[in-house]
Amino acid sequence: MALQRRAFVLGGHITPFIGKKHPDFIWKRHPDFGKKENPSLEDYIDSAVNGALESTGVPAEAVEKAWIGNFVGELFSNQGHLGAAVVGANEGLKYKPIMRVEGACASGGLAFASALDAIQAGSDVTMVVGAEVQTTESARTGGDYLARASHYKRQRSLDDFTFPAMFARRKKAYLQAHPEASEEDFGRLSVKAYGNANKNPLAHMKAVKMPLEVAAQAGDKNPAFLGNPDFKDFLKVSDCSQVSDGAAAMILVSEEGLRKLGKTEADAIEVLSLSYATGNLYEDDDLLAMNTTKAAADKAYAEAGLSADDVKVAEVHDCFTIAEMLMYEALGFAEQGKGYELVREGATELDGRIPVNTGGGLVGFGHPVGATGVKQVLEIYRQMKGQCGDYQVKGDLDVGLTANMGGDDKTSVVALFKNLK
Ligand code: CAA
């Protein structure tokens, strides 16, 4: 949207993202197994909401409206109606207008878009929450639940792991169309994600190492786990985002909101533009391009008066390594079909010309689906404000970008941000 009223992200809170292979995640081999439980969806919403209020110093009473992004609380946690769960986190929010927003893995991004709409319509202080718990079931059952983000009737049968298979299909098409690209290029993306996560205390994969010799090919330590013989050879565990639990929440305000809260522009980053686009759930698009993301990005750049060359740091939706590759192309970081050259150049690594997914992305930081779009915005905020510790990018990060995607490129939310000093 072209912004009629200026909008500012004032910061917020990200909980640790955890799941299998995270040292604090309780499962069979953990010493607390049978004695303690992992945090619930309710616990995560509570931590994110109150963490965001505390870290920004904004009283709950000052929040005028809030949104929560969540995909399938009903399936993993037997819980829907999450607007009211946000009130459950803090009495100061009671009787305020709060609703849940759903757009598969772009639920968090759409919650952000909704709050921005409200700022345009006259609200001054809003909250955006995103949360998901997915570890209450096996990865295989979770694969069925997540398949609700595809066209279930037509696509569920692709594989027990529907989404991994859909992106293996894209990776197969990419490798066939661009024979110069190799499995090792995708391995490098995974090594970057895990390497960045190893520097990030909040990351699901903070303690797991991923050397290139493991990531670059299937093997005992990195199985090709799909059942569908057409796609099995085109996806390994290292290519996949994690089945994570976690939440994030942020405060989004107008200029008037900044003033009311006693904040200055230097406390905030500005939203320059946000665009979201939606494709047709019932048809397959070009496997070699993310055209919905491209439509959203083209509009976001035009409205901000910027181009891909202006972006200094980005968070993109790497649900699988092939998604990150195709995002580079859809967002204009690389020409169509040339994303692998950007990877080989190291351009998107922490010390590269355009660092992408600096805290590990969905592959390394983790992917509690409803939380991801909110976490991405907060990661840009934290990078711009120099709060990223061991994975802080050096230099003047004046322009940042987020791209959050739902389904197989069916809902995409792209936003551009400017640091204010
Ligand atoms: N050899 C062969 N097969 C093996 C194996 C080995 N050594 N180890 C595991 N497997 C196979 C087995 O079949 C196993 O399933 P079962 O145990 O049920 O038989 C399967 O792989 C999974 O193994 P695990 O349960 O041990 O694996 P895990 O818990 O470590 O999970 C993962 C790994 C399956 C890749 C999981 O992380 C995953 O599903 N990731 C993707 C999550 C996902 O799809 N998220 C949504 C992204 S899409 C998006 O963002 C858009 C949207 O809107 C949805």
Side-chain angles (χ1 to χ4, degrees):
M1 75 183 76
L3 298 187
Q4 304 299 313
R5 294 181 83 219
R6 295 177 74 196
F8 304 87
V9 177
L10 258 189
H13 183 75
I14 306 172
T15 72
F17 285 6
I18 70 168
K20 263 162 91 175
K21 299 191 181 156
H22 186 286
D24 298 339
F25 181 69
I26 300 168
W27 66 303
K28 282 172 260 177
R29 277 178 249 154
H30 193 281
D32 287 335
F33 184 68
K35 296 182 214 153
K36 281 191 189 162
E37 307 257 300
N38 289 304
S40 64
L41 183 60
E42 185 176 330
D43 296 328
Y44 277 109
I45 294 172
D46 193 299
S47 304
V49 166
N50 290 303
L53 294 171
E54 276 158 33
S55 67
T56 55
V58 173
E61 292 72 16
V63 174
E64 294 162 23
K65 288 186 172 184
W67 287 262
I68 176 163
N70 170 267
F71 176 36
V72 278
E74 290 86 347
L75 295 178
F76 283 110
S77 304
N78 295 317
Q79 189 61 61
H81 200 183
L82 296 180
V86 172
V87 176
N90 192 304
E91 266 298 291
L93 297 170
K94 202 162 186 179
Y95 304 135
K96 291 182 187 282
I98 304 178
M99 70 165 85
R100 170 184 171 178
V101 179
E102 189 275 308
C105 297
S107 298
L110 290 181
F112 172 42
S114 306
L116 192 61
D117 277 347
I119 299 276
Q120 300 311 297
S123 293
D124 291 318
V125 181
T126 66
M127 179 184 261
V128 184
V129 189
E132 204 84 44
V133 160
Q134 306 176 107
T135 62
T136 51
E137 300 286 354
S138 69
R140 194 176 288 273
T141 303
D144 178 48
Y145 292 175
L146 292 169
R148 268 79 173 175
S150 70
H151 180 206
Y152 196 89
K153 187 169 74 174
R154 184 171 55 96
Q155 294 173 315
R156 174 68 187 105
S157 57
L158 270 178
D159 196 276
D160 277 3
F161 296 93
T162 305
F163 267 93
M166 288 170 84
F167 281 86
R169 183 170 66 170
R170 281 189 181 270
K171 191 169 156 204
K172 179 178 182 179
Y174 192 93
L175 286 167
Q176 286 176 348
H178 310 300
E180 326 75 40
S182 69
E183 194 60 47
E184 190 170 310
D185 296 322
F186 293 94
R188 281 185 203 285
L189 284 173
S190 179
V191 168
K192 169 172 80 69
Y194 279 77
N196 292 354
N198 294 163
K199 298 185 166 80
N200 176 4
L202 297 176
H204 185 151
M205 288 294 161
K206 70 177 185 178
V208 177
K209 302 284 176 231
M210 183 57 71
L212 187 58
E213 50 285 15
V214 173
Q217 61 197 353
D220 288 349
K221 290 187 187 157
N222 192 11
F225 62 96
L226 293 177
N228 185 323
D230 289 340
F231 305 130
K232 185 178 170 59
D233 291 344
F234 295 91
L235 199 89
K236 315 171 296 299
V237 167
S238 62
D239 288 312
C240 300
S241 57
Q242 306 310 320
V243 173
S244 318
D245 301 340
M250 68 177 172
I251 304 290
L252 183 76
V253 302
S254 67
E255 241 174 330
E256 183 61 14
L258 275 184
R259 199 190 54 73
K260 282 187 194 163
L261 295 168
K263 304 280 183 187
T264 67
E265 290 194 2
D267 298 318
I269 64 171
E270 182 165 5
V271 185
L272 295 177
S273 65
L274 180 149
S275 172
Y276 62 94
T278 319
N280 182 347
L281 185 65
Y282 306 127
E283 60 184 33
D284 285 334
D285 284 323
D286 181 357
L287 294 177
L288 294 173
M290 289 197 165
N291 289 324
T292 307
T293 300
K294 184 171 178 352
D298 287 350
K299 198 152 173 258
Y301 285 131
E303 286 175 2
L306 295 172
S307 75
D309 292 340
D310 296 306
V311 178
K312 302 287 173 33
V313 61
E315 286 284 314
V316 312
H317 197 98
D318 59 324
C319 47
F320 301 93
T321 51
I322 177 67
E324 180 160 338
M325 191 74 91
L326 293 172
M327 284 247 157
Y328 290 172
E329 300 174 11
L331 297 167
F333 299 165
E335 276 173 43
Q336 177 81 34
K338 300 284 185 194
Y340 69 91
E341 288 182 0
L342 202 69
V343 177
R344 287 184 193 171
E345 221 185 284
T348 57
E349 292 176 16
L350 283 185
D351 57 359
R353 126 176 98 76
I354 172 175
V356 173
N357 295 349
T358 63
L362 283 58
V363 171
F365 200 149
H367 184 28
V369 293
T372 287
V374 183
K375 178 219 70 176
Q376 288 181 325
V377 177
L378 285 169
E379 282 293 275
I380 295 298
Y381 176 91
R382 295 171 74 232
Q383 277 293 354
M384 285 181 162
K385 298 300 180 196
Q387 298 175 358
C388 284
D390 289 347
Y391 66 95
Q392 181 62 47
V393 174
K394 297 189 179 63
D396 181 15
L397 305 178
D398 56 345
V399 175
L401 174 147
T402 56
N404 179 209
M405 182 191 74
D408 185 10
D409 191 44
K410 294 304 182 197
T411 298
S412 266
V413 186
V414 176
L416 283 153
F417 304 86
K418 180 180 167 198
N419 191 21
L420 300 169
K421 293 172 193 157

